[in-house]
Amino acid sequence: MPPRTAVFFHAHPDDEALLTAGTMAMLAAEGHRVVLVVATAGERGLAEMEPGEALGETRLRELYESAALLGCARVECLGYGDSGLSPKGGIAEERPDNAFIDADTEAAAKALAAILQEEEADLLAIYDPAGGYGHPDHVQVHRVGKRAARLAGTEIVLEATVNRDPLLRLLRLAGRFYRFPPEFDVRTFESAYSPGETITHRVNVRKYARQKRASMAAHASQASGGDSDRTLAVMLKVPRPLYRFVFGTEWYVRRDLPPGTRLTHPFEMMSGK
């Protein structure tokens, strides 16, 4: 396969580590050009330090470290404000003036499209319509990314996601033996991510588990803070042999392919190639 260019568009630093790091490392190792774009610096994320400019600077440094570990050729931040974790970004008055969820979709899409055109990108990775677990900035990534791909004429648009079918089964099974915190509602996952029948790409990234784990570890600020163990901290506690199995697949949905399509590489089924 000749070298191609893939742009991965995420909402905040560390999102790339959770959903697409293995695919990014794989493509870079195969000789493709991998570009990482984030909408925000993640300055309102949970961490030991106070939210704000200092946290944003720290998270961007962590992003560059993660990108280097994955073999990215370029990293860009669109410069929007982190909308926060609350549904719909919380109270508007508490959000920064340039919060990503308040951004004009067309203007943001044009900024991303400019990068796609400059890179002559063959592929853009975004999120599914649910934004994964519903984070407002993730939903905005989906909207902005879809529009940017149309503006730039980018052929392949992949929606990074998780197969929610086995996830739901696992959570329901765990609920029989473990009492989840009151604020944790398993039913919310019934509309999170994507059902297995819609997933078109199941990418085996076990060979790149070391890079994926290192990418997660690079985001040290997001492994602490809050009242309980953070997602990254929990994932990094998984023993290495088990980690390779649990996190060895990354899932994507490509909407222009017929139902039932089953592919294993992001660049499969490029038109005329």
Side-chain angles (χ1 to χ4, degrees), residues 1 37 56 92 181 201 225-226 240:
M1 183 182 297
V37 181
H201 291 67
R240 291 182 183 274

Side-chain angles (χ1 to χ4, degrees), residues 28-228:
E30 291 175 351
H32 302 292
R33 180 174 173 84
V34 177
V35 176
L36 174 58
V37 181
V38 293
T40 81
E43 69 278 4
R44 295 185 70 196
L46 295 174
E48 294 293 349
M49 66 180 68
E50 291 295 319
E53 184 176 348
L55 177 57
E57 292 175 354
T58 296
R59 296 194 69 182
L60 285 178
R61 285 197 299 271
E62 293 171 347
L63 180 74
Y64 276 93
E65 181 181 348
S66 167
L69 291 165
L70 298 176
C72 295
R74 178 182 178 182
V75 180
E76 293 287 345
C77 179
L78 297 186
Y80 288 100
D82 184 351
S83 303
L85 289 165
S86 301
K88 299 183 180 178
I91 301 172
E93 289 73 16
E94 296 178 355
R95 296 198 295 266
D97 292 337
N98 66 335
F100 187 46
I101 61 170
D102 296 325
D104 179 80
T105 302
E106 191 72 9
K110 286 180 179 178
L112 178 58
I115 296 173
L116 295 174
Q117 290 171 327
E118 182 181 342
E119 290 289 343
E120 298 182 353
D122 301 288
L123 178 154
L124 172 65
I126 55 174
Y127 303 134
D128 58 27
Y133 59 93
H135 191 297
D137 281 339
H138 290 212
V139 176
Q140 182 75 318
V141 161
H142 175 79
R143 290 192 292 257
V144 169
K146 281 186 65 178
R147 178 59 180 156
R150 293 194 194 100
L151 291 172
T154 303
E155 180 181 350
I156 298 176
V157 178
L158 297 184
E159 299 173 4
T161 190
V162 171
N163 185 343
R164 74 169 174 233
D165 298 342
L167 179 61
L168 273 173
R169 288 195 295 269
L170 179 62
L171 289 172
R172 288 165 179 158
L173 177 63
R176 297 169 62 180
F177 305 98
Y178 172 77
R179 180 174 294 180
F180 292 113
E183 65 274 12
F184 184 87
D185 188 352
V186 172
R187 290 174 298 178
T188 61
F189 286 88
E190 293 175 359
S191 58
Y193 300 107
S194 303
E197 63 186 14
T198 67
I199 292 174
T200 57
H201 291 67
R202 292 162 173 79
V203 182
N204 184 341
V205 298
R206 291 181 185 177
K207 184 178 178 181
Y208 304 94
R210 179 178 60 81
Q211 292 94 321
K212 183 169 182 172
R213 190 180 182 107
S215 171
M216 289 184 180
H219 295 282
S221 70
Q222 297 307 290
S224 62
D227 298 327
S228 59

Side-chain angles (χ1 to χ4, degrees), residues 4 8 16 18 27 56 74 78 84 91 96 99 105 115 117 131 145 162 202-203 226 229 236 240 252 260 264-265 267:
R4 308 194 192 282
F8 289 78
E16 85 290 345
L18 295 169
L27 292 178
R74 178 182 178 182
L78 297 186
I91 301 172
T105 302
I115 296 173
Q117 290 171 327
V162 171
R202 292 162 173 79
V203 182
D229 281 346
L236 289 170
R240 291 182 183 274
Y252 301 89
T264 59
H265 194 283
F267 286 131

